[in-house]
Amino acid sequence: MLDNPLRRWIRGLGGKKGQPTVLVKELAERDRRRVLKHFLALDGNDRLLRFGSIIPDDQIKVYVAKIDFSRDIVLGVYNGIFQLVGVGHLGFSTSEGRGTTTKERVAEFGVSVSASARGQGVGTRLFQRAAIHCRNSDIDTLYMQCLSSNQTMMHIAKKAGMRIKREHGEADAYLQLPPPSPGSVMAEALEEQFAVIDYTVKANARAAVKWFSPKK
């Protein structure tokens, strides 16, 4: 999957046929309100697939309020009208008790995609960006936990070559990552630069629409 990350990233700029390019940007504190809005818009089934249970709005608000953007990596995809349609949360923990690595840390990844953005490769691109960030951060094991019934995530996991263990209706998958390379570092840096430009253009366009819209 990640043997030639720079070439893969360049090829991915074209997006799926007939679909817009999917650019993944690292989110920050200023995006917290939109992250919350994204999660609150998920219906019961989507919340079940993302969090493992159908959690109410109050719990989602607590979850988003506790996200530490300085510690975790939160990735997002904005659509053409500056709506956050995909969120990936990459958290880190010690590798103690996990025999798959000799590194000090491992990473765990969770992802959600809005109904309006399904079938555009958003989930796959978020996962790829998370994996390449781990690789460049000298983390060689990426875990992804989800329900076995989550066919989209199972497809992403299998496509990435992740090892999958199913137990009690849940799937615990992990991916062994190669060490960083000049290509992987360049791919992540280029995507972030492109995504920042895209973010700025969409944010300015959104602000202009609000500015020129008739006041009620």
Side-chain angles (χ1 to χ4, degrees), residues 185-205:
V185 173
M186 180 67 73
E188 184 178 18
L190 283 174
E191 171 142 23
E192 184 63 18
Q193 288 182 16
F194 272 69
V196 167
I197 294 171
D198 180 70
Y199 178 97
T200 303
V201 170
K202 290 174 180 176
N204 289 341

Side-chain angles (χ1 to χ4, degrees), residues 175-187:
L175 178 66
Q176 295 293 134
L177 299 166
S181 69
S184 69
V185 173
M186 180 67 73

Side-chain angles (χ1 to χ4, degrees), residues 43 76 92 96 98-99 101 129 157 159 168 184 192 204:
D43 62 21
F92 306 95
E96 185 176 354
R98 304 205 181 188
T101 180
R129 177 66 186 275
K159 187 176 179 181
H168 306 301
S184 69
E192 184 63 18
N204 289 341

Side-chain angles (χ1 to χ4, degrees), residues 48-62:
L48 174 65
L49 295 177
R50 171 59 180 85
F51 298 104
S53 62
I54 304 176
I55 64 175
D57 289 357
D58 287 346
Q59 288 187 31
I60 287 180
K61 291 175 182 178
V62 171

Side-chain angles (χ1 to χ4, degrees), residues 56-192:
D57 289 357
D58 287 346
Q59 288 187 31
I60 287 180
K61 291 175 182 178
V62 171
Y63 167 76
V64 174
K66 289 183 177 179
I67 294 176
D68 186 343
F69 288 93
S70 65
R71 180 193 63 204
D72 298 345
I73 299 296
V74 184
L75 303 168
V77 173
Y78 280 92
N79 66 9
I81 56 174
F82 203 51
Q83 293 175 334
L84 194 58
V85 295
V87 174
H89 188 175
L90 191 60
F92 306 95
S93 60
T94 62
S95 60
E96 185 176 354
R98 304 205 181 188
T100 57
T101 180
T102 59
K103 303 292 184 180
E104 293 184 357
R105 298 189 302 162
V106 295
E108 297 187 23
F109 183 66
V111 63
S112 57
V113 178
S114 301
S116 62
R118 303 277 165 77
Q120 299 177 19
V122 173
T124 297
R125 292 291 295 113
L126 284 164
F127 176 81
Q128 290 173 345
R129 177 66 186 275
I132 204 168
H133 180 84
C134 289
R135 180 178 176 179
N136 292 337
S137 301
D138 197 31
I139 293 174
D140 66 3
T141 307
L142 173 60
Y143 285 91
M144 186 168 66
Q145 195 172 44
C146 64
L147 297 177
S148 296
S149 59
N150 192 337
Q151 295 302 313
T152 300
M153 293 310 298
M154 287 296 95
H155 174 73
I156 291 174
K158 291 176 181 177
K159 187 176 179 181
M162 300 183 83
R163 298 181 182 181
I164 302 173
K165 178 182 177 182
R166 292 180 173 85
E167 187 175 353
H168 306 301
E170 293 189 356
D172 190 14
Y174 69 90
L175 178 66
Q176 295 293 134
L177 299 166
S181 69
S184 69
V185 173
M186 180 67 73
E188 184 178 18
L190 283 174
E191 171 142 23
E192 184 63 18

